[in-house]
Amino acid sequence: MKKKVIIIGSGFSSLSAAAYLAKEGFDVTIYEKNNTVGGRARQLKKEGFTFDMGPSWYWMPDIFDKFFNDFGKKTSDYYQLDKLSPAYKIFFSDDVITIGDCMDKIGEEFERIEPGSAIHLRKFIKVAQENYDIAINKVVLRPGLSPLELVTPETITRVDQFFKTISSEVRKRFKNKKLISTLEFPVLFLGAKPSKTPSFYSFMNFADFGLGTWHPKGGMYEIILAMESLIKELGVKIETNSSATKILVENKKTTGIIVNGETHLADFVLSGADYHHSETLLTEKHRQYTEAYWSKKTFAPSSLLFYVGFDKRIKNIEHHNLFFDTDFELHAEEIYDEPKWPKNPLFYANFPSVTDKSMAPEGNETGFFLVPIAPNLKDTEEIREEYFNLILNRFEEKTNQKIKNNIIFKESFCVNDFIEEYNSYKGNAYGLANTLTQTAFLRPNLKSKKVKNLFFTGQLTVPGPGVPPALISGKLVAELITKSNN
């Protein structure tokens, strides 16, 4: 008889784990508290406009390819993938940098800003590519059970890169502030300040410049739909509008969960929901981590998000746009060092309808704006409105156009919503930051140390924040469950 696995939540890591577990012959059921699958990668459709509510960058296409290949499938079986050209624009106070779709174009742009920098860039990206190969094929495919997992012939020769920072390595090679910000930007996906992120993580720069930025036609939610289709084909059952309120334990072993007041028994329980929240579903003696533990951790930022429908096409922008026309370091301090609402925030603007006409009615534009902020800030409608006006004023100035009167509708999402919708600890958006003391085996465990057959997956555990790491997290935890069943 098949062993039964219950999975709490249906984000990328949960769907990934469900696929691998079903492939290994487990009877898998997912319980999702919201009315659609996807976790933070949900979709908003309104008046003909389509918005990805969460992740909007498709990086590391090889990780998605590997996932579907593991089931004899290809990404092209499910969605059309287009490489963005250019990848994105960065707006500074006195210039605009355009990141092209290949190293030659990017090198030319660097050379324009700082003569002689293209040579340094190629050397930097060469190291980043070597790190990427080691990270993706060696380090991140390990379950974070032991410090020895970080010890490989390749990492031994690069041990200094775990103690130097991205910031110091970038500043050693480049003097222009705009180029420094451009190269430090990708590690924000890891949820930490560049000055706190080990230089080994330069592999994110290769993910950016080397592998490029892509877009699945129809939006990032197409990946969720693809994974949902795959797991259903593998026999996984999905129950939406099903909120787990308790993880059941008998004799230090999990026996199932309570959902909507009903008991559901299982041989294994896996939570892909927020890790801190998942442990609150246990009695205190069965929790691995105390409130003091969580409060001392460095969390990735939260976000103030706006989903806006415009009644015209927007000029002078690309699919992805970064507004770095204010002080990068000051904003980082206001997130990590002295958490507060930022005075002059950097922000991101995404217009998927620039390259994908299916995401907005004809002649209109779909706009998604994101302001990174510290978790746990006071969140009110008045504050949201103040920041919407602030970033829109700067957007209009930098792109030389008026758009406020062309808004059909706008919806916002912030700290309170992350807590309400996703049970997110302090309303964080991206999980636990990848600092040196929160890397690999130093992150919360995939496997409970106190309750047998209880496991965890997602951005607060191994390997870390981001969509590709979430796919890997699901695979790692599925392997642990399979191993413990043998």
Side-chain angles (χ1 to χ4, degrees):
M1 191 171 159
K2 285 185 175 182
K3 289 287 181 76
K4 184 165 180 59
V5 181
I6 280 175
I7 299 179
I8 302 170
S10 65
F12 279 109
S13 56
S14 292
L15 297 177
S16 170
Y20 286 108
L21 289 166
K23 184 185 175 188
E24 289 297 327
F26 289 92
D27 175 4
V28 183
T29 302
I30 291 174
Y31 292 94
E32 165 59 51
K33 78 181 279 284
N34 294 313
N35 59 6
T36 58
V37 297
R40 298 173 194 225
R42 289 191 296 165
Q43 191 177 62
L44 170 65
K45 286 197 169 188
K46 186 170 180 176
E47 297 181 31
F49 295 85
T50 301
F51 302 87
D52 284 312
M53 293 184 70
S56 58
W57 293 77
Y58 193 107
W59 274 6
M60 306 185 188
D62 51 321
I63 303 296
F64 297 90
D65 292 339
K66 283 176 185 172
F67 172 78
F68 286 104
N69 291 346
D70 281 346
F71 303 93
K73 307 285 187 180
K74 302 190 293 288
T75 54
S76 58
D77 294 335
Y78 297 99
Y79 53 86
Q80 177 189 321
L81 201 56
D82 299 308
K83 192 174 189 182
L84 298 183
S85 177
Y88 54 92
K89 265 186 178 180
I90 309 179
F91 291 81
F92 291 95
S93 58
D94 59 350
D95 201 357
V96 179
I97 290 182
T98 301
I99 301 300
D101 62 349
C102 66
M103 278 302 299
D104 286 345
K105 291 178 185 174
I106 299 167
E108 284 175 20
E109 188 73 334
F110 268 58
E111 202 66 22
R112 176 182 74 81
I113 302 287
E114 185 180 306
S117 62
I119 295 169
H120 297 298
L121 177 66
R122 288 193 178 276
K123 287 179 182 173
F124 181 74
I125 295 300
K126 184 176 183 292
V127 173
Q129 182 171 2
E130 291 165 358
N131 287 351
Y132 186 87
D133 183 53
I134 295 163
I136 300 308
N137 296 313
K138 300 277 170 51
V139 178
V140 302
L141 295 176
R142 301 180 178 201
L145 300 178
S146 160
L148 296 177
E149 292 173 4
L150 290 176
V151 181
T152 71
E154 296 85 0
T155 56
I156 285 170
T157 62
R158 289 169 170 78
V159 70
D160 63 317
Q161 292 190 41
F162 287 91
F163 296 97
K164 293 175 183 172
T165 67
I166 283 281
S167 191
S168 65
E169 289 300 293
V170 167
R171 287 156 197 261
K172 199 193 304 179
R173 293 169 174 79
F174 304 92
K175 300 296 173 244
N176 185 278
K177 276 196 165 184
K178 293 189 278 284
L179 297 188
I180 289 169
S181 293
T182 301
L183 287 167
E184 288 184 347
F185 143 70
V187 302
L188 297 180
F189 283 97
L190 300 170
K193 289 173 69 174
S195 60
K196 298 283 187 184
T197 303
S199 66
F200 181 74
Y201 284 102
S202 68
F203 67 75
M204 291 297 291
N205 293 103
F206 175 71
D208 179 2
F209 290 179
L211 298 176
T213 303
W214 300 73
H215 172 72
K217 190 174 181 349
M220 293 289 284
Y221 198 68
E222 291 299 313
I223 312 162
I224 293 292
L225 295 177
M227 295 177 78
E228 181 184 25
S229 173
L230 172 66
I231 65 173
K232 283 181 174 176
E233 197 179 311
L234 291 165
V236 176
K237 296 175 281 297
I238 302 171
E239 301 289 341
T240 53
N241 296 307
S242 299
S243 184
T245 52
K246 190 171 185 183
I247 296 172
L248 301 171
V249 180
E250 280 182 26
N251 300 321
K252 298 183 181 178
K253 180 180 178 181
T254 185
T255 57
I257 64 173
I258 293 177
V259 177
N260 296 346
E262 292 184 7
T263 297
H264 297 271
L265 300 177
D267 299 291
F268 298 90
V269 171
L270 166 61
S271 182
D274 177 275
Y275 204 126
H276 170 269
H277 168 74
S278 301
E279 286 222 312
T280 67
L281 304 181
L282 294 160
T283 55
E284 204 162 323
K285 67 179 180 180
H286 293 131
R287 297 172 194 170
Q288 304 168 91
Y289 306 108
T290 63
E291 288 299 319
Y293 169 90
W294 291 111
S295 67
K296 288 174 187 168
K297 290 293 168 187
T298 301
F299 273 80
S302 187
S303 297
L304 169 56
L305 303 160
F306 297 100
Y307 312 105
V308 189
F310 294 97
D311 67 5
K312 70 170 185 178
R313 304 308 302 271
I314 311 293
K315 298 181 298 183
N316 306 327
I317 43 99
E318 297 297 340
H319 186 121
H320 296 292
N321 308 271
L322 299 164
F323 287 79
F324 284 8
D325 52 315
T326 58
D327 192 325
F328 186 105
E329 289 170 36
L330 177 61
H331 189 173
E333 285 171 15
E334 291 168 330
I335 292 173
Y336 295 104
D337 302 336
E338 293 180 39
K340 66 179 82 165
W341 277 96
K343 190 175 178 185
N344 288 305
L346 283 68
F347 68 95
Y348 159 62
N350 171 248
F351 299 95
S353 45
V354 166
T355 49
D356 185 349
K357 303 297 183 272
S358 73
M359 298 192 74
E362 190 172 348
N364 294 358
E365 205 85 82
T366 292
F368 166 106
F369 297 84
L370 181 154
V371 181
I373 59 171
N376 212 30
L377 294 182
K378 182 182 179 184
D379 173 17
T380 67
E381 287 302 321
E382 292 75 21
I383 292 172
R384 295 186 190 195
E385 196 62 26
E386 176 190 340
Y387 276 83
F388 183 70
N389 289 323
L390 187 152
I391 64 172
L392 228 59
N393 288 339
R394 278 175 40 206
F395 180 90
E396 289 183 333
E397 181 196 339
K398 289 293 152 205
T399 61
N400 196 28
Q401 65 194 308
K402 297 292 182 186
I403 61 170
K404 278 185 187 171
N405 293 334
N406 299 100
I407 294 172
I408 301 170
F409 66 84
K410 81 168 190 291
E411 295 203 8
S412 63
F413 200 95
C414 197
V415 172
N416 293 346
D417 303 297
F418 279 103
I419 295 168
E420 174 68 25
E421 300 287 326
Y422 309 131
N423 295 310
S424 166
Y425 180 73
K426 293 185 176 179
N428 81 82
Y430 305 107
L432 208 57
N434 258 338
T435 59
L436 178 60
T437 56
Q438 295 180 175
T439 292
F441 67 97
L442 296 171
R443 297 177 73 80
N445 291 327
L446 289 167
K447 183 178 183 179
S448 173
K449 292 182 254 179
K450 291 198 172 182
V451 179
K452 192 179 179 189
N453 292 356
L454 174 61
F455 295 82
F456 303 86
T457 187
Q459 57 189 4
L460 267 71
T461 181
V462 179
V467 177
L471 296 180
I472 294 167
S473 185
K475 181 178 185 178
L476 292 174
V477 78
E479 288 170 352
L480 286 180
I481 292 171
T482 302
K483 191 175 176 184
S484 68
N485 186 48
N486 293 334

